[in-house]
Amino acid sequence: MHAWPASEIPALPGQGRDLRIHDTATGALVTLDPGPVARIYVCGITPYDATHMGHAATYNAFDLVQRVWLDTQRQVHYVQNVTDIDDPLLERAQRDGLDWSALAEKETALFREDMTALRMLPPRHYIGAVEAIPGIVPLVERLRDAGAAYELEGDVYFSVESDPNFGKVSGLDATAMRLLSAERGGDPDRPGKKNPLDPMLWMAAREGEPSWDGASLGRGRPGWHIECVAIALDHLGMGFDVQGGGSDLVFPHHEMGASHAQALTGEFPMAKAYVHAGMVALDGEKMSKSKGNLVFVSKLRHDGVDPAAIRLALLAHHYRADWEWTDQVLQDAVDRLGRWRAAVSRPDGPPAEALVEEMRQALAADLDSPAALAAIDRWAALQDERGGTDEGAPGVVSRAVDALLGVAL
Ligand code: 5CA
Ligand code: ZN
């Protein structure tokens, strides 16, 4: 699949800092040492509805990771998937009388537009589940042949008991896992499974549903977790730097993915850091397509809201926090954007070097974007109250805000 166009990243004076980031698996901050090419896999959308503020907040977090790395003069190998075949997509297409693939295409196109408007840097590889099927099938066959998977009425399940490290990503106990499995796409109550938590790797073709050639597996479609593992291993290999997503992906998705990869390669962990963004809520409940309590990026854009203000509203919250979207959050961002634009519109101002350094420090310390915003607020207030004599300083600030935060002033 094609991704979306990259916004240009202005050059900055000085040098960025190495990223320290919270790893869910160890529960600690880790300093990543990615080498000249940093590798990151971020779980993409299931395209059955438009991009909402929760999605945007999560992709904003990983866009910051990419920008911090780029600021250290590294290249970034960023891979993202599109879950363009899965139960929720088929259910929505059926409900609305649409063709499932046309629905997926339409929502993916809208996502690209939203990401472009928000100045999220694109992945180098943007891969759909459907196009990954030829790579998924041999992995499932290998898991089965190695005894890590078994068949149940034509479907193929992964055996969590085959993995000595199962549970190490989420650190959850069996009761919590079972609850989350039922909530998030698993089928713990299906009779005949070896362990209720075992996730599906390959679903045999169902009447009236799309299916693909699965070689020795028979016709069918892939399970969700193996999709991301196949794409990540194909494009990044084992031991990449960051696997990212919202905190609702910790279990089962990222736990199962690590397990599949361990069974395939004998290595753990698949990613050096498992990084998770908090959940954005609306009216007290997690924003989610299934609940329908949504604020869409595209709707705000069409109502004339500046995408830079939407982005600032996201940046005003620490990526790991759970937070609530309100009209006030957006209004505050619109006001802040106005103050910043006024402050950089003059040819000179207070010195910019210390501010750029503060921004770099804040972002390198577990992506503390609220601290970066506060530093810019202080500079803008100084400019407003007393001005400054540093020629070109507003230009430096403007470029730093663009390069490090993806906000065009
Ligand atoms: N296709 C899978 C990942 S392989 C999926 O979870 N798709 S999704 O469309 O449901 O979500 C896309 C991303 O947005 C995921 O990282 C998910 O964790 C994140 N996300 C979903 N809802 C919210 C929310 N309310 N707040 C923050 N992030 C969210
Ligand atoms: Zn995923």
Side-chain angles (χ1 to χ4, degrees), residues 41-48 52-59 62 81-83 86 224 227-228 244-249 253-254 277-281 286-289:
Y41 184 92
V42 178
C43 282
I45 53 162
T46 305
Y48 68 90
H52 60 61
M53 298 320 302
H55 301 136
T58 289
Y59 296 112
F62 298 101
N81 68 306
V82 185
T83 307
D86 204 1
W224 173 30
E227 165 195 341
C228 284
S247 59
D248 57 345
L249 298 188
H253 189 51
H254 289 172
M279 288 292 113
V280 180
K286 174 194 158 189
M287 220 181 256
S288 78
K289 288 180 279 202

Side-chain angles (χ1 to χ4, degrees), residues 71-116:
D71 190 40
T72 59
Q73 312 310 321
R74 290 184 170 89
Q75 288 183 45
V76 180
H77 193 158
Y78 175 14
V79 179
Q80 191 180 124
N81 68 306
V82 185
T83 307
D84 58 0
I85 183 67
D86 204 1
D87 294 340
L89 180 69
L90 294 176
E91 283 157 17
R92 177 62 61 93
Q94 170 105 34
R95 189 197 80 177
D96 295 351
L98 296 166
D99 172 60
W100 64 273
S101 62
L103 174 62
E105 246 173 67
K106 180 181 123 211
E107 298 301 353
T108 305
L110 187 57
F111 177 72
R112 289 189 189 98
E113 274 178 34
D114 289 336
M115 292 296 105
T116 308

Side-chain angles (χ1 to χ4, degrees), residues 38-356:
R39 294 175 295 163
I40 177 168
Y41 184 92
V42 178
C43 282
I45 53 162
T46 305
Y48 68 90
D49 212 338
T51 319
H52 60 61
M53 298 320 302
H55 301 136
T58 289
Y59 296 112
N60 177 57
F62 298 101
D63 190 64
L64 294 180
V65 170
Q66 179 160 205
R67 287 172 186 277
V68 170
W69 278 335
L70 290 171
D71 190 40
T72 59
Q73 312 310 321
R74 290 184 170 89
Q75 288 183 45
V76 180
H77 193 158
Y78 175 14
V79 179
Q80 191 180 124
N81 68 306
V82 185
T83 307
D84 58 0
I85 183 67
D86 204 1
D87 294 340
L89 180 69
L90 294 176
E91 283 157 17
R92 177 62 61 93
Q94 170 105 34
R95 189 197 80 177
D96 295 351
L98 296 166
D99 172 60
W100 64 273
S101 62
L103 174 62
E105 246 173 67
K106 180 181 123 211
E107 298 301 353
T108 305
L110 187 57
F111 177 72
R112 289 189 189 98
E113 274 178 34
D114 289 336
M115 292 296 105
T116 308
L118 293 174
R119 290 174 96 76
M120 306 282 184
L121 297 170
R124 191 187 290 190
H125 295 284
Y126 193 44
I127 311 287
V130 170
E131 64 182 326
I133 289 173
I136 294 172
V137 169
L139 295 190
V140 177
E141 290 176 321
R142 259 170 62 196
L143 287 169
R144 181 198 55 197
D145 297 347
Y150 60 93
E151 209 184 293
L152 181 61
E153 297 160 323
D155 300 328
V156 182
Y157 278 91
F158 177 75
S159 172
V160 295
E161 278 150 26
S162 69
D163 171 18
N165 285 313
F166 180 70
K168 284 199 181 163
V169 172
S170 66
L172 294 171
D173 62 33
T175 315
M177 285 183 182
R178 195 176 166 132
L179 278 171
L180 288 175
S181 161
E183 248 175 60
R184 299 176 179 167
D187 56 1
D189 298 323
R190 179 169 178 179
K193 288 170 67 172
K194 287 189 181 163
N195 183 309
L197 299 173
D198 291 345
M200 215 184 265
L201 291 165
W202 187 255
M203 181 193 270
R206 306 289 201 258
E207 184 76 38
E209 288 188 0
S211 63
W212 289 265
D213 179 15
S216 70
L217 309 170
R219 285 194 75 78
R221 60 181 162 100
W224 173 30
H225 320 303
I226 193 68
E227 165 195 341
C228 284
V229 173
I231 297 170
L233 293 185
D234 188 19
H235 293 279
L236 297 174
M238 269 310 265
F240 53 90
D241 297 290
V242 167
Q243 173 153 22
S247 59
D248 57 345
L249 298 188
V250 175
F251 193 90
H253 189 51
H254 289 172
E255 187 75 70
M256 296 301 177
S259 255
H260 293 356
Q262 151 91 38
L264 283 164
T265 66
E267 288 173 43
F268 180 88
M270 178 165 68
K272 288 182 195 144
Y274 283 86
V275 179
H276 293 103
M279 288 292 113
V280 180
L282 183 72
D283 303 329
E285 270 204 274
K286 174 194 158 189
M287 220 181 256
S288 78
K289 288 180 279 202
S290 47
K291 290 199 197 92
N293 56 335
L294 304 166
V295 175
F296 295 120
V297 174
S298 46
K299 169 85 168 60
L300 292 180
R301 288 199 291 119
H302 292 137
D303 290 349
V305 177
D306 188 328
I310 303 176
R311 180 107 193 208
L312 271 188
L314 306 173
L315 289 162
H317 300 85
H318 191 270
Y319 82 97
R320 279 204 284 139
D322 294 328
W323 55 280
E324 172 105 11
W325 179 266
T326 61
D327 292 343
Q328 191 59 47
V329 165
L330 182 59
Q331 190 54 51
D332 290 347
V334 169
D335 295 346
R336 175 177 263 145
L337 186 63
R339 289 196 305 274
W340 289 8
R341 283 193 170 143
V344 300
S345 67
R346 298 191 227 157
D348 39 31
E353 288 74 23
L355 170 58
V356 174

